[in-house]
Amino acid sequence: METQFDFAAYVERRKSGLSGERGEGYAYEGDLKVLRALRAMRAVELAVAQTVKLSKSFLSHELLGTSVKVGPNQFPRIYNLARDCALTLGIPTPQVYIVPNIASINAATYGTDEDAFIMIHAAAIDHLSDEELRFVIGHECGHIQNNHVVYLTTLYRLHQILQAAGSVVGVVLLPFILPATLALQSWARAAEITCDRAGLLCCRNPSVAMNSFVKLAVGSRKLFDEMNIDAYLDQLKEARGDGVGRVSELQRSHPYLTKRIEALRVFADSELYHRAVGLSGGYDRPELEKRTQDVIKVL
């Protein structure tokens, strides 16, 4: 018999330090399955060990010099959103930095499981409402809650090395890092689905979550009002029929946005989400995971 997931009780266990689930109560099963496999891959574990060793303080020091630290007395609105998301998920409030990037709506989480930090591009602050930011910050808090951070940091560093593949160092390291990079990218696509669920659990409004995705897709406040989400999702059918596009997605660390929107719609209609927000009905857990897998599969 399937174990019923009580989100409120799970959060209380997290706060008391008694939970050993580490986010598995709502996490996408594909994320958990691939993550377990990654931990058994020597190439990935070596890459993780070296990255954590080299990057534990580098990224945070770099951010202190190039970005603005969020706190109760500096950007308190953003700080309060991060604090609320952390309370919702039952984790400590993470450190947040505002990155002076006005060209792309984005956010990311790096560091270690014990010392994680969230970076939010200034463009996200400009384009998103407070509730949309709550979804985005909740998504990033989901990475922390689910122990994704060291793997995200490793993938970020491996991408940097691959971008330098034309250099002598890049050519020498390529045979060693390419397998780890491909494995981590496969996991990261599934991890994004888990964290989209976390974001929705924080904002508790599927329309708000969808709007944040659409603004990310179009990149323009002026064009946002003219967007039709259903028409945009029709692109998902076109992408499924494009063999070249599917192969291209294998090289990405995020699923296509159309897939993420559709997968989040499935989660919003699930029994798991309904129970978390005090509703009844919805897909049971096996049906939720089956429908999600059907949406995000690449090949």
Side-chain angles (χ1 to χ4, degrees):
M1 181 180 295
E2 181 190 0
T3 301
Q4 296 294 304
F5 176 59
D6 185 336
F7 182 71
Y10 165 74
V11 169
E12 289 306 312
R13 289 196 299 274
R14 289 280 301 184
K15 290 177 180 177
S16 66
L18 298 177
S19 173
E21 291 170 289
R22 301 299 291 174
E24 295 187 10
Y26 66 84
Y28 171 46
E29 288 181 1
D31 167 15
L32 301 175
K33 181 179 179 180
V34 178
L35 193 57
R36 293 185 193 110
L38 284 179
R39 289 168 179 157
M41 291 181 62
R42 181 163 175 76
V44 172
E45 287 304 295
L46 284 173
V48 168
Q50 289 301 311
T51 298
V52 171
K53 181 179 179 181
L54 295 173
S55 303
K56 188 168 184 179
S57 61
F58 176 78
L59 283 172
S60 59
H61 284 302
E62 184 179 44
L63 282 169
L64 285 170
T66 62
S67 306
V68 183
K69 195 173 184 180
V70 172
N73 299 315
Q74 186 158 251
F75 306 126
R77 177 172 60 91
I78 307 302
Y79 173 81
N80 289 335
L81 288 172
R83 182 198 59 194
D84 290 350
C85 289
L87 285 171
T88 297
L89 298 178
I91 63 172
T93 303
Q95 181 59 62
V96 178
Y97 293 89
I98 304 300
V99 178
N101 185 328
I102 59 172
S104 65
I105 303 171
N106 203 2
T109 302
Y110 298 119
T112 67
D113 289 328
E114 297 76 23
D115 186 19
F117 50 86
I118 296 172
M119 303 186 305
I120 304 176
H121 288 191
I125 309 297
D126 290 343
H127 285 73
L128 303 180
S129 69
D130 281 6
E131 288 308 300
E132 289 160 357
L133 280 172
R134 189 186 301 276
F135 170 74
V136 170
I137 294 172
H139 171 104
E140 299 304 327
C141 286
H143 282 307
I144 297 170
Q145 184 184 36
N146 286 278
N147 290 342
H148 290 166
V149 181
V150 293
Y151 293 96
L152 293 173
T153 305
T154 300
L155 185 57
Y156 170 72
R157 285 302 193 196
L158 292 179
H159 279 158
Q160 287 185 318
I161 296 172
L162 285 174
Q163 288 171 0
S167 68
V168 173
V169 174
V171 171
V172 171
L173 293 178
L174 190 60
F176 301 97
I177 66 172
L178 191 56
T181 302
L182 292 175
L184 283 166
Q185 285 179 164
S186 175
W187 158 75
R189 291 192 296 273
E192 289 300 303
I193 301 303
T194 290
C195 295
D196 289 342
R197 294 177 178 182
L200 185 56
L201 287 168
C202 288
C203 79
R204 303 200 169 201
N205 188 326
S207 295
V208 165
M210 304 305 167
N211 286 347
S212 71
F213 278 137
V214 172
K215 287 182 179 179
L216 178 60
V218 72
S220 166
R221 280 182 293 184
K222 292 181 180 180
L223 292 176
F224 170 70
D225 291 337
E226 300 177 39
M227 282 285 288
N228 181 307
I229 291 182
D230 289 325
Y232 179 56
L233 288 176
D234 283 341
Q235 295 178 202
L236 180 58
K237 299 173 185 177
E238 297 179 36
R240 280 179 176 158
D242 184 351
V244 174
R246 294 202 303 251
V247 172
S248 174
E249 191 176 0
L250 290 172
Q251 301 173 33
R252 296 170 57 91
S253 59
H254 289 57
Y256 291 138
L257 279 175
T258 47
K259 292 187 175 185
R260 291 175 64 184
I261 292 172
E262 187 62 32
L264 199 60
R265 278 184 163 182
V266 171
F267 180 65
D269 288 334
S270 71
E271 183 184 22
L272 192 158
Y273 175 70
H274 284 183
R275 283 202 308 270
V277 297
L279 302 175
S280 60
Y283 305 128
D284 63 16
R285 189 62 178 269
E287 183 66 15
L288 164 64
E289 303 302 355
K290 178 183 179 299
R291 287 173 178 261
T292 302
Q293 172 60 24
D294 288 344
V295 168
I296 72 165
K297 64 185 178 183
V298 178
L299 297 175

